Amino acid sequence: MIDGQSDATIRDVLAGTRRIALVGASDKPWRPSYEVMRFLLDRGYHVTPVNPSLAGQQIHGRPVAADLAAAAPLDMVDVFRASAHVGALIDDAIRLRAQTVWMQLGVIDQAAAERARAAGLTVVMDRCPVIETRRIGPITPRH
């Protein structure tokens, strides 16, 4: 995989995460972010959707935050944005002391990933937690 993470690391990230900010959340049921958010909520994660265009509304019964700061505290930043937007999100994730940045399928920014790793964050890139959970097997969050 492009991020170099082992299955054990992916399992640890998913098991050790409790609070997720899902950046690029959509209220459209046909969008992948909508489905992934439902999947994560159904597994007991506390997910805050982040989308400035939808701030104040709700997705899956959860209030939408305008930005990462409004979604804090958080453990993981799950990114459903174009790769060009990742750098600023990484900087915010570092500032807000996230533990993990998870970039969804097709979202790749090696320079931002290196900055995150240098700050001590785990970086998962070009992967989907739904696909990884199904591939690795059931993961029970430790929270």
Side-chain angles (χ1 to χ4, degrees):
M1 299 304 287
I2 194 165
D3 58 19
Q5 300 296 4
S6 67
D7 287 354
T9 298
I10 297 298
R11 182 180 296 281
D12 285 346
V13 164
L14 291 171
T17 295
R18 183 173 148 233
R19 296 176 312 267
I20 300 171
L22 196 140
V23 179
S26 176
D27 58 356
K28 295 173 176 57
W30 60 87
R31 299 294 301 260
S33 64
Y34 187 89
E35 293 179 40
V36 170
M37 183 175 170
R38 176 81 269 154
F39 178 89
L40 294 169
L41 287 168
D42 288 348
R43 274 142 192 85
Y45 296 98
H46 176 89
V47 183
T48 301
V50 178
N51 184 327
S53 299
L54 300 174
Q57 297 178 41
Q58 291 194 357
I59 301 173
H60 295 301
R62 303 285 305 151
V64 180
D67 56 31
L68 277 184
L74 49 92
D75 300 321
M76 177 193 290
V77 177
D78 188 359
V79 182
F80 278 91
R81 295 289 319 270
S83 299
H85 300 283
V86 171
L89 291 170
I90 294 281
D91 295 338
D92 287 345
I94 292 168
R95 182 176 49 80
L96 295 168
R97 297 190 172 116
Q99 298 167 358
T100 304
V101 173
W102 188 299
M103 295 179 237
Q104 287 291 330
L105 295 172
V107 183
I108 300 167
D109 185 330
Q110 293 290 2
E114 285 305 315
R115 262 196 336 275
R117 288 184 194 106
L121 280 71
T122 300
V123 176
V124 179
M125 190 164 34
D126 193 30
R127 296 189 196 224
C128 174
V130 175
I131 293 169
E132 294 303 309
T133 299
R134 290 177 178 157
R135 184 181 66 78
I136 294 171
I139 298 170
T140 304
R142 294 184 302 258
H143 50 269

